[in-house]
């Protein structure tokens, strides 16, 4: 593993290795055991979109691994004024040991890595959010102890979260069912991958997806960059809301995950959100541990 672009690039074993290391790092942090294995390194964090969790968890993680984090917002960088990513990459590659980037196009992440010649981590694109899904898988395993025999359901937009979730959950061996309105399906590359699995199902009906599910996931109807479509999306996603009534069809000890930020009474009811807050905020914490594991794997010299 040289970079983290998307979960499609990882084997099941690589995913499990990251989760195992993340668990170990979580244990060490809890017991004040220092793990400054990236001592002295300089890691850049490029943001072309807003962020709370990704920004803070990466910066804290980098610091805890003994490295220095540089927050690089596109509002301040020359990329915000049109400097090509190829040039930015060739400059940053000479200063830094690694880069995390949150951007729009998946190709930007891969181009950055090509030209910078240092490891690059995808901190969210329009296509994928691998760091989030590693944290989600870590949270599922933490509460359910294993992935064996679990059914995961996703209700909502076939967006970056859905794309990465379908791939990650299928790779680790879960049954996956997604409920998505027509016209908002996951990316073609993801559907092509999912087609190989008999245990993958896509429907337009949330009640079918959540039936007997152990893990239920949703995300916002309108992602960053799609704000102009908000009204049309509110129409299209009516009924794609995790409510207590809908979840009656799920398995008794189900858990709900949400990457956050959440829009209450849109994709999730306030009741369901609060009933599942312990899982959702553990999931947010696990971003830190999962990303530290990825950074150790990619940046440790
Ligand atoms: N879930 C997630 O990536 O959150 P932020 O947008 O706050 O980073
Ligand atoms: N789908 C959301 C995820 C935010 C973490 C977005 O891209 O805005």
């Amino acid at each position: 593993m040289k970079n983290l672009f998307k979960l499609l690039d990882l084997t099941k074993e690589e995913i499990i290795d990251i989760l195992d290391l993340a668990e170990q790092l979580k244990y060490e942090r809890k017991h004040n055991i220092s793990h400054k294995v990236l001592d002295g390194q300089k890691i850049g964090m490029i943001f072309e979109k807003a962020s709370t969790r990704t920004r803070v968890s990466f910066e804290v993680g980098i610091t805890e691994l003994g490295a220095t984090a540089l927050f690089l917002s596109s509002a301040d960088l020359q990329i915000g004024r049109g400097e090509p990513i190829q040039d930015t990459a060739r400059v940053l590659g000479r200063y830094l040991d690694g880069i995390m980037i949150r951007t729009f196009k998946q190709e930007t992440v891969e181009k950055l890595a090509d030209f910078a010649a240092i490891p690059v981590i995808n901190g969210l694109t329009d296509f994928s959010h691998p760091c989030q899904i590693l944290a989600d898988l870590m949270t599922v395993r933490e509460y359910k102890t294993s992935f064996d025999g679990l059914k995961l359901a996703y209700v909502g937009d076939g967006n970056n979260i859905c794309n990465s979730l379908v791939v990650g959950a299928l790779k680790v061996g879960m049954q996956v069912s997604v409920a998505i309105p027509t016209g908002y399906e996951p990316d073609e590359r993801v559907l092509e991958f999912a087609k190989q699995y008999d245990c993958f199902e896509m429907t337009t009906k949330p009640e079918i997806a959540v039936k007997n599910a152990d893990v239920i996931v949703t995300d916002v109807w309108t992602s960053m960059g799609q704000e102009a479509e908000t009204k049309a999306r509110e129409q299209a996603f009516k009924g794609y809301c995790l409510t207590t009534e809908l979840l009656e069809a799920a398995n008794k000890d189900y858990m709900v995950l949400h990457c956050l930020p959440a829009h209450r009474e849109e994709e999730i009811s306030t009741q369901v959100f609060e009933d599942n807050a312990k899982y959702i905020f553990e999931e947010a914490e696990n971003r830190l541990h999962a990303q530290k594991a990825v950074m150790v794997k990619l940046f440790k010299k």
Side-chain angles (χ1 to χ4, degrees), residues 8 127 163 185-195 202:
L8 278 170
F127 170 65
N163 286 332
E185 291 84 2
D187 190 275
E188 267 310 313
R189 289 163 282 181
V190 170
L191 293 177
E192 202 49 43
F193 168 81
K195 259 193 356 212
M202 185 159 72

Side-chain angles (χ1 to χ4, degrees), residues 50-81:
S51 169
T52 297
R53 281 142 289 271
T54 306
R55 183 197 167 164
V56 178
S57 57
F58 263 102
E59 186 157 345
V60 169
I62 290 166
T63 308
E64 290 180 359
L65 292 171
T68 301
L70 289 90
F71 173 65
L72 307 166
S73 157
S74 62
D76 307 317
L77 293 172
Q78 296 285 13
I79 43 175
R81 297 177 57 248

Side-chain angles (χ1 to χ4, degrees), residues 1-6 38 41-46 58 62 68 72 88-89 92-102 108-123 131 291-301:
M1 215 175 112
K2 285 203 164 62
N3 300 284
L4 177 60
F5 294 152
K6 56 189 187 300
L38 304 184
Q41 294 200 29
K42 287 98 192 162
I43 311 297
M45 310 187 303
I46 302 177
F58 263 102
I62 290 166
T68 301
L72 307 166
T88 305
L92 295 182
R94 288 166 184 256
Y95 301 145
L96 303 170
D97 299 286
I99 302 177
M100 188 285 308
I101 179 168
R102 167 167 287 196
T108 306
V109 180
E110 302 183 16
K111 206 184 261 182
L112 176 67
D114 273 354
F115 282 86
I118 53 174
V120 169
I121 298 174
N122 173 0
C131 292
Q291 289 158 194
K292 281 167 80 178
V294 170
M295 289 193 281
V296 172
K297 296 267 180 214
L298 294 181
F299 301 155
K300 193 174 162 192
K301 304 224 155 113

Side-chain angles (χ1 to χ4, degrees), residues 50-55 102 124 129 132 224 259-261 287:
S51 169
T52 297
R53 281 142 289 271
T54 306
R55 183 197 167 164
R102 167 167 287 196
L124 180 146
H129 198 359
Q132 179 66 55
M224 290 182 278
C259 65
L260 303 175
R287 292 291 304 277

Side-chain angles (χ1 to χ4, degrees), residues 19-35:
L19 302 186
D20 290 346
L21 179 57
E23 247 176 44
Q24 183 196 323
L25 293 168
K26 184 171 185 173
Y27 173 89
E28 289 178 2
R29 185 178 196 263
K30 194 169 164 199
H31 293 87
N32 290 317
I33 301 167
S34 161
H35 39 229

Side-chain angles (χ1 to χ4, degrees), residues 150-268:
L150 293 185
K151 175 178 174 185
L152 178 139
Y154 176 87
V155 174
D157 187 19
N159 61 13
N160 44 11
I161 292 292
C162 177
N163 286 332
S164 296
L165 187 68
V166 166
V167 173
L170 287 172
K171 284 202 178 196
V172 298
M174 284 190 271
Q175 184 190 334
V176 176
S177 184
V178 298
I180 292 170
T182 308
Y184 293 92
E185 291 84 2
D187 190 275
E188 267 310 313
R189 289 163 282 181
V190 170
L191 293 177
E192 202 49 43
F193 168 81
K195 259 193 356 212
Q196 310 166 68
Y197 292 82
D198 291 338
C199 58
F200 174 73
E201 169 188 53
M202 185 159 72
T203 168
T204 55
K205 296 193 165 44
E207 58 279 16
I208 293 181
V210 303
K211 192 163 192 295
N212 299 326
D214 304 284
V215 182
I216 301 105
V217 187
T218 189
D219 186 22
V220 291
W221 294 343
T222 303
S223 286
M224 290 182 278
Q226 300 172 332
E227 290 77 7
E229 300 170 25
T230 303
K231 280 239 146 8
R233 286 173 169 272
E234 279 169 6
Q235 284 305 315
F237 288 101
K238 252 190 203 140
Y240 290 78
C241 177
L242 300 186
T243 59
T244 328
E245 299 72 52
L246 176 69
L247 296 178
E248 272 166 19
N251 266 348
K252 203 162 62 355
D253 54 351
Y254 70 80
M255 63 193 280
V256 171
L257 295 178
H258 193 308
C259 65
L260 303 175
H263 291 184
R264 289 167 174 77
E265 307 308 329
E266 289 190 11
E267 75 276 4
I268 190 164

Side-chain angles (χ1 to χ4, degrees), residues 10-17 148 171-173:
L10 269 55
T11 62
K12 174 181 181 176
E13 290 66 34
E14 284 172 323
I15 294 176
I16 300 294
D17 262 8
D148 294 343
K171 284 202 178 196
V172 298

